[in-house]
Amino acid sequence: MSHRPNVFSPPGTPLLESTVGELVAERPGRSRVFQAFNIDFCCQGARTLREACERKGLAAEAVVEQLEAELADKAVAAQNPTELPPHELAAYIVETHHGFLRRELPRLHTMAERVARVHGGHTPSLVEMLNIFIGMEAELADHLMKEEQILFPAVVAMSRGEPAPGDLDGPIACMVHEHEEVGSALARLRELSHGFQPPADACNTYRALFAGLHDLEVDLHRHIHLENAVLFPAARVMADTR
Ligand SMILES: [Fe+2]
Ligand SMILES: [Fe+2]
């Protein structure tokens, strides 16, 4: 993993003439696009985007398009899902938030392992972060499965006017408890990473990991809020009136 600082191009340099390292340093979310195209933004971060695409035989326009879409993505999140009817909210959560976790967790896992292996010797908190992450990842996989196979189908059935398939208080209490555990793991990750702030000399993977964990925290907080404060109370009301 390279520790050479990023060289920044003058302001206004087109994306294709900027180095992939500086593009990620500027907006860590771009690391997702580079990983999808298998462009190394860490050790080969000094290459311009044009060079990196040429070496991989990639159509540069396709990569630029994805980088621009990554920017637009953040703007789209503005719509308010709390106004959706319960069955649509459940579908929204699966598509948006469960989808986010299924894309992000494997990517963050790889980076957390790499950063712990390379830097964990002198920064043991990175090894502790990896272990917390692995535990949280396993819990989340199980949690999403329970929501998608038990609780959310019950919400959909009740929305169609069918009676509640059994008592929902137990499954809801279990989900809320698991949310608390995820919340504690995120708080510990935040504490160990000093608010997801990488050291000044951190390499690009280290930075991308911390930025990714910060995004994970933001997304999970939103996700858990939608379930605890909107979907689950609506499910309880439906269960009581069906
Ligand atoms: Fe969920
Ligand atoms: Fe949940």
Side-chain angles (χ1 to χ4, degrees), residues 93-94 97-98 101 143-144 147 152 179 223-224 227 232:
I93 288 171
V94 171
H97 295 295
H98 293 193
L101 289 171
H143 180 83
L144 301 189
E147 286 181 342
F152 292 6
H179 290 167
H223 174 179
I224 289 172
E227 290 174 353
F232 297 167

Side-chain angles (χ1 to χ4, degrees), residues 6-7 14 31 33 38 41 44 56 59 73 95 97 101 119 128 139 152 157 170 180 201 207-209 216 219 227 240:
N6 290 304
V7 179
S31 62
V33 177
N38 203 15
F41 57 86
Q44 308 298 332
K56 293 257 164 205
D73 246 19
E95 194 185 319
H97 295 295
L101 289 171
H119 303 287
E128 192 179 342
E139 262 201 43
F152 292 6
E180 283 163 11
D201 61 348
R207 287 175 189 281
L209 171 66
L216 179 76
D219 194 85
E227 290 174 353
D240 289 347

